[in-house]
Amino acid sequence: MWYLCVFFHRLLDYRKAEVESLAQLFSNEDQEYQCLQWRLPLLHHPDSPFHFVDLPSEDVAKSIASRSILVKGMYELWGEGGSYEELEECIRNYPDERKLPYLDSSSTFKINVDTFGKVISLQEQTQRIQGLSYIPFKGRVNLKNPEHKFWLMETDDYGASNGLPPMVQKRIFFGREIGGADRKLLPTYQLKSRIYLGPTAMDAEMAFLMANQALATPGKLVYDPFVGTGSILIAAAHFGAMTMGADIDIRVVRDGRGPDCNVWSNFKQYGLPMPIALLRADNNLPPWRTGLKEVFDAIICDPPYGVRAGGRKSGGRKLMKGVIGPYVVPDDKRTDHIPSTASYSLVECVHDLLDLAGRMLVMGGRLVFFYPVLSEDDNVDNHFPEHPCFKLIATSEQILSSRYSRVLLTMVKKSPYTEDIAEAARLKHLDFKENHLKWLEDGNLHSAVFSPTDPQSNGAADHAKFTKEPKPKYRGKYV
């Protein structure tokens, strides 16, 4: 059945991907991932917050709306039109068997008025509600806790001059609310109130989006190989998943800033189940015993790509000098010993991450991680190689600068990770590394992101390459 899905006007590229993942979660997880059917209202821009989506049932729509971060509400649409006369005709023609169960005299209801692109006064809202008198409501009005909520939503005919997605004709919607989002979740988990916080802590809203993409639910085991201060695992734990993390910096996972200010403190702060384990481990040299495989239901992470922090792997001076033998830490220095590390390029990091996911994810498990790309390339495949073990099901872009973006990739494990597939992936990695752009191969994006492009130094051709039509930036609170 088709439902009206109204989004918050925020993180536009992430909206549909989140709904499709949650639809998979609440309908039938055993089915192979399939994209939902979407369509736009008449004369609406693709960036409009109003979309129609075809979902299996009302229960699925309600579950999606209640858990989603970016869905404002799901509605059974009773009518729409370019004017209130068209709206009235549409509502009158809506089947009575669909309307009457919610108009019964024993029920309570409330009508809300919402607008997009303009603001109307309380008096105007009251007038619009009174204009719905042709709907035979027989129940009692209850403004605090009604059984049924109805919404009258109106868009303005502001064209393209309002700093919002272009709209050339006024559109009015009326429908019954199936489910709505609880935005109190984000203020509760906001970073500024977090006990233990690092410079690379994932924003709470983004962490919850990643957890939704990974289908975090009770009984599932979620792993973050770059755990840091645990922001991503906190989101997964909120949804009931068991969590486990690792980081190469032993001071982060073991010490923090003291016994009352560490990763464990963050979980205590929100009353969440503690992680099963926090390991000092290297993504380049994973600690798993030989033969261990298919342990995790999801791997969620933000790999280091050199903007806020560079990647590190086990190594150091002895390794660089060609010392192959094992390095044994003396007993008297083990307590405070910090292992040596060396630079870890993004290309190598991504290969190791995919190898880890291939071996350790269960069949159908999800890998969700951020990856940097050039902003002028519409296809992430220009940078990211296809992997024989995974199916890429969603990409969501977030702009870092005029030249670079980071893309949230969601991948599903579709086949067993055999030795033949591992060898094929290794060869693809070598080809990928050899032909990859220099800024990615070096694993250092800091200067590229934070330094302005100088057309004089790169020549007219390079300047034209990076001055294509940018993505629209919209005004408003939720941009």
Side-chain angles (χ1 to χ4, degrees):
M1 181 175 176
W2 287 93
Y3 296 92
L4 176 64
C5 178
V6 181
F7 292 103
F8 288 103
H9 189 55
R10 179 168 179 79
L11 297 173
L12 307 186
D13 283 349
Y14 292 75
R15 303 182 302 184
K16 289 184 179 180
E18 185 194 25
V19 171
E20 291 180 348
S21 290
L22 293 178
Q24 182 81 3
L25 176 64
F26 293 118
S27 54
N28 189 344
E29 294 183 74
D30 295 331
Q31 292 180 351
E32 185 177 352
Y33 180 87
Q34 295 179 350
C35 292
L36 298 175
Q37 294 186 51
W38 298 84
R39 60 181 175 86
L40 282 168
L42 185 65
L43 300 176
H44 275 232
H45 190 274
D47 290 339
S48 166
F50 299 92
H51 284 73
F52 291 107
V53 59
D54 186 15
L55 294 172
S57 68
E58 184 173 310
D59 288 339
V60 172
K62 183 177 181 179
S63 298
I64 292 173
S66 62
R67 170 155 166 171
S68 172
I69 302 300
L70 298 179
V71 172
K72 189 175 184 179
M74 288 277 188
Y75 308 91
E76 177 194 358
L77 192 67
W78 286 16
E80 64 171 311
S83 66
Y84 279 92
E85 290 75 18
E86 289 183 24
L87 177 67
E88 179 178 349
E89 181 181 0
C90 194
I91 292 177
R92 289 184 182 275
N93 292 332
Y94 194 68
D96 287 340
E97 61 269 20
R98 298 291 306 172
K99 293 187 295 186
L100 293 179
Y102 308 100
L103 306 176
D104 188 80
S105 58
S106 62
S107 64
T108 59
F109 71 96
K110 176 184 178 181
I111 299 177
N112 300 281
V113 179
D114 196 12
T115 59
F116 183 75
K118 65 177 181 180
V119 177
I120 62 175
S121 66
L122 184 60
Q123 182 180 0
E124 290 174 307
Q125 293 182 36
T126 303
Q127 291 174 351
R128 282 162 169 75
I129 293 175
Q130 292 173 347
L132 299 172
S133 59
Y134 54 87
I135 303 177
F137 288 105
K138 297 179 181 179
R140 293 176 294 104
V141 174
N142 186 331
L143 300 182
K144 291 186 177 181
N145 189 28
E147 292 179 52
H148 310 299
K149 294 181 182 179
F150 298 88
W151 286 78
L152 180 68
M153 293 166 281
E154 183 178 323
T155 63
D156 197 11
D157 52 350
Y158 52 76
S161 60
N162 201 23
L164 292 171
M167 206 168 296
V168 297
Q169 181 178 335
K170 179 179 180 179
R171 203 73 183 162
I172 310 164
F173 306 93
F174 180 82
R176 177 178 64 90
E177 180 184 291
I178 303 298
D182 180 11
R183 293 289 284 187
K184 296 179 182 178
L185 182 70
L186 299 183
T188 300
Y189 286 92
Q190 60 186 339
L191 292 184
K192 65 181 182 181
S193 62
R194 193 78 51 90
I195 292 178
Y196 182 42
L197 199 62
T200 60
M202 180 62 67
D203 174 72
E205 182 178 38
M206 197 63 69
F208 280 104
L209 283 172
M210 296 174 78
N212 278 339
Q213 290 289 86
L215 310 184
T217 49
K220 289 189 175 181
L221 179 58
V222 175
Y223 178 65
D224 182 357
F226 310 99
V227 67
T229 56
S231 294
I232 293 175
L233 293 189
I234 285 173
H238 171 83
F239 292 129
M242 298 179 289
T243 59
M244 183 174 178
D247 200 282
I248 195 170
D249 191 343
I250 192 173
R251 294 166 295 184
V252 172
V253 296
R254 184 188 65 182
D255 305 323
R257 295 191 177 94
D260 299 320
C261 186
N262 50 43
V263 180
W264 308 97
S265 305
N266 288 340
F267 286 83
K268 291 179 183 177
Q269 178 181 357
Y270 302 113
L272 298 174
M274 293 295 168
I276 291 175
L278 294 177
L279 309 175
R280 188 280 173 189
D282 181 2
N283 189 55
N284 183 244
L285 295 171
W288 321 114
R289 69 175 185 267
T290 304
L292 184 65
K293 60 181 181 179
E294 298 189 357
V295 173
F296 304 117
D297 295 285
I299 295 176
I300 318 174
C301 62
D302 182 21
Y305 43 86
V307 177
R308 291 184 293 177
R312 308 294 296 177
K313 65 179 180 179
S314 298
R317 292 189 299 271
K318 290 182 178 291
L319 187 62
M320 295 173 64
K321 291 179 179 179
V323 177
I324 301 177
Y327 172 62
V328 179
V329 180
D331 292 339
D332 60 333
K333 295 182 179 180
R334 287 191 177 188
T335 302
D336 299 321
H337 177 71
I338 298 176
S340 300
T341 60
S343 180
Y344 191 28
S345 73
L346 176 64
V347 176
E348 190 176 7
C349 174
V350 169
H351 168 70
D352 293 338
L353 178 61
L354 289 172
D355 183 70
L356 167 71
R359 296 183 187 279
M360 301 300 289
L361 278 179
V362 300
M363 194 64 62
R366 292 196 171 196
L367 170 63
V368 181
F369 67 104
F370 273 109
Y371 183 79
V373 298
L374 285 172
S375 293
E376 74 275 5
D377 285 322
D378 295 327
N379 190 352
V380 70
D381 292 336
N382 292 338
H383 295 300
F384 194 81
E386 179 183 0
H387 194 281
C389 191
F390 291 96
K391 178 181 180 181
L392 180 64
I393 61 171
T395 61
S396 306
E397 184 178 11
Q398 184 179 31
I399 296 175
L400 295 176
S401 72
S402 60
R403 291 180 58 180
Y404 296 98
S405 303
R406 66 176 185 173
V407 175
L408 182 64
L409 301 179
T410 303
M411 309 178 79
V412 175
K413 185 176 178 181
K414 64 179 183 179
S415 64
Y417 194 59
T418 64
E419 293 304 320
D420 291 340
I421 288 181
E423 178 62 18
R426 186 186 70 82
L427 295 176
K428 281 182 176 291
H429 163 66
L430 294 177
D431 181 65
F432 173 52
K433 184 174 182 179
E434 181 180 352
N435 295 287
H436 206 261
L437 296 178
K438 190 72 168 65
W439 64 274
L440 266 182
E441 184 172 348
D442 290 343
N444 181 11
L445 295 180
H446 190 282
S447 60
V449 172
F450 292 106
S451 300
T453 304
D454 183 3
Q456 302 297 326
S457 62
N458 295 328
D462 287 341
H463 178 57
K465 180 179 180 181
F466 295 112
T467 54
K468 74 163 196 172
E469 186 71 20
K471 286 195 173 185
K473 294 182 180 179
Y474 302 115
R475 70 163 178 85
K477 178 180 178 182
Y478 295 113
V479 174

